[in-house]
Amino acid sequence: SKSKGRNAYSFYSQSLNQSASERLKMDQLLRGALERNEFSIVYQAIVSEQGTRLKGFEALIRWSSPELGQVSPSVFIPIAEQIGLISEIGLWVLRESAEQLKLWQSRYDQAIVMSINVSPRQFHDESILPAVKGVISKTGLPPASLQLEVTEGLFLSASERTLNNIRLLKSSGIRLALDDFGTGFSSLSYLNQLPFDVLKIDKSFVDGLENNDKDQAMVMAIISIAHRLSMEVVVEGVETPQQVHVLRELSADALQGYYYSKPVSAREAEARFLSQSGL
Ligand code: C2E
Ligand code: CA
Ligand code: CA
Ligand code: CA
């Protein structure tokens, strides 16, 4: 979201100001983090608009560094992109969360979707296509149970080949979501360029939903455009029952946010959303 982005930036520039050697230190620690098993994944529930049915989870990476403590992905993902680590980390998230979904699908007979964040840069890398296909064949998951979330940032740098790679991925049957919708530049023009299944409305539109008529009008218009283009709408950052009420009135398809659950460990996600039926 917008505020997250601002926080990430001030964090980041602050750490730059503190010292270049600290940034170097972080680069160095990040390079070894995968090998040292310092990453984990937390899962945030995505529920139907009535809040009665689990639709799936978003996988969100966490880095717990013995030296630095918990480092937010808003801080280390941009660094991983800069120093060329994002493909390796991204593929780890993909494999790990797909294995988790496989386990859950075998334990609970529920058709749920795992939604995975993919950095624009990962699509420049040739490894993404075979990796996704490999994960699908290894796990035997229905391709449509995997969803890749991309942001508008993708379109700023995307070559025709990158876009083509994404179209090829899409034709393997996976789902595609446009994340953080509305926070970038000229968002509308991107909607038709790739076959998105899902549009995720950013939290910044939700914050003012209860008492800002303009935010309501924006969300209503976005949902109506998405539906006309046969896309499902997931609204992020839902925190209050009032927001839930408004979003139901506006015909959102799915909701995600602290109101339902913070991102939690696989064990907790399973206990709260899968092993007990009903939400
Ligand atoms: P995002 O993809 O937009 O993810 C949503 C962020 O909002 C998450 O922050 C989530 O914990 C937080 N959030 C969800 N519901 C609420 C709510 O109701 N209120 C508030 N205040 N926050 C909420 P998180 O986990 O810190 O992730 C931050 C960003 O880092 C993500 O934003 C995404 O851009 C990136 N990220 C996280 N995991 C991955 C990953 O595996 N790969 C890549 N490439 N990026 C990742
Ligand atoms: Ca975001
Ligand atoms: Ca996301
Ligand atoms: Ca988002």
Side-chain angles (χ1 to χ4, degrees), residues 2-23:
K2 273 176 190 161
S3 62
K4 266 246 136 65
R6 267 198 301 271
N7 287 342
Y9 180 75
S10 59
F11 238 84
Y12 179 41
S13 51
Q14 189 188 6
S15 71
L16 272 181
N17 287 342
Q18 274 166 359
S19 72
S21 73
E22 278 191 16
R23 165 62 204 264

Side-chain angles (χ1 to χ4, degrees), residues 58 117 149 179 200 236:
E58 178 174 357
N117 294 285
E149 298 193 3
D179 200 4
K200 297 189 80 170
E236 305 188 278

Side-chain angles (χ1 to χ4, degrees), residues 1-2 4-5 58 74 117 151 179-180 183 202-203 236:
S1 72
K2 273 176 190 161
K4 266 246 136 65
E58 178 174 357
S74 312
N117 294 285
T151 61
D179 200 4
D180 296 352
T183 61
D202 191 70
K203 178 178 187 302
E236 305 188 278

Side-chain angles (χ1 to χ4, degrees), residues 31-49:
R31 285 180 204 281
L34 199 53
E35 210 167 276
R36 291 191 301 269
N37 249 327
E38 293 169 3
F39 293 123
S40 59
I41 300 178
V42 286
Y43 298 91
Q44 187 176 32
I46 300 171
V47 306
S48 63
E49 78 294 347

Side-chain angles (χ1 to χ4, degrees), residues 6 16 37 44 47 120 131 150 171 173 175 184 201 208 214 235 242 266:
R6 267 198 301 271
L16 272 181
N37 249 327
Q44 187 176 32
V47 306
V150 302
S171 62
R175 287 158 59 95
I201 297 183
K214 285 188 176 160
V235 183
Q242 290 82 6

